[in-house]
Amino acid sequence: MRSAFPVAVATAALLLASAAHAAPKASAIEVTQAWSRPAAAGTNGAGFMTLTNHGKTADTLVSIETKAATQVQMHQTSMANGIMSMKRLETGLALAPGQTVSFAPGGYHLMLIGLTRASQAGDKLAATLVFSSGLRLKTAFVVGSGPQGAAPSPMTMDHMNP
Ligand SMILES: [Cu+2]
């Protein structure tokens, strides 16, 4: 039975392929309330959202991919002695099991550096959140849907003079 080996190999390949294409299991990380502010093309925008880790293992948001900006960085705004400053989260943002982290004005935010086009209220900036586990979470930042609606962003101006 010379054919037994090739058949076994083919079956194994098939099993691997079906595993890879299995319906994506419900993601352990949930992203909610993703929003941004209206901004002009070429300027820097900010993205906000809430992340919840429903899983049993820690994961880290390591990068954000989007066609809406030339680069996306994770920043943290902090206030010390009345002076606001921002620092880049170089190693990403870790989420412990059960932890919820909000990106919100005055705290964590995504810097959308070099917006590729103007965005106005109602637009959706599609993005993919990439985690250290390999999880890729698609989301959309809805422009003008945040707590301050379509109000202009004082933070955007801060970002022009980092
Ligand atoms: Cu920033």
Side-chain angles (χ1 to χ4, degrees):
M1 288 291 287
R2 293 181 61 89
S3 65
F5 180 66
V7 168
V9 168
T11 306
L14 208 71
L15 285 171
L16 282 174
S18 60
H21 292 135
K25 55 183 183 319
S27 166
I29 311 258
E30 182 185 27
V31 52
T32 53
Q33 297 170 342
W35 64 281
S36 185
R37 294 191 177 101
T43 62
N44 295 338
F48 307 100
M49 62 186 171
T50 298
L51 293 176
T52 302
N53 185 354
H54 296 291
K56 292 190 162 49
T57 52
D59 209 345
T60 300
L61 175 63
V62 288
S63 66
I64 299 93
E65 298 172 358
T66 181
K67 292 192 170 83
T70 52
Q71 194 193 349
V72 182
Q73 295 180 356
M74 283 170 266
H75 285 181
Q76 182 175 22
T77 305
S78 57
M79 206 63 160
N81 302 320
I83 297 169
M84 192 196 263
S85 62
M86 285 193 316
K87 72 169 187 199
R88 185 177 178 181
L89 303 179
E90 302 286 353
T91 55
L93 184 96
L95 283 167
Q99 190 179 13
T100 294
V101 173
S102 287
F103 286 68
Y108 295 122
H109 57 278
L110 302 181
M111 282 301 316
L112 310 175
I113 297 168
L115 291 169
T116 51
R117 41 168 285 200
S119 62
Q120 49 190 309
D123 286 351
K124 291 184 177 138
L125 312 180
T128 301
L129 311 180
V130 182
F131 292 83
S132 57
S133 65
L135 171 69
R136 297 173 59 85
L137 206 54
K138 283 193 193 325
T139 189
F141 293 86
V142 182
V143 178
S145 67
Q148 285 138 22
S153 161
M155 207 141 83
T156 303
M157 301 179 78
D158 293 337
H159 287 146
M160 288 170 157
N161 304 296

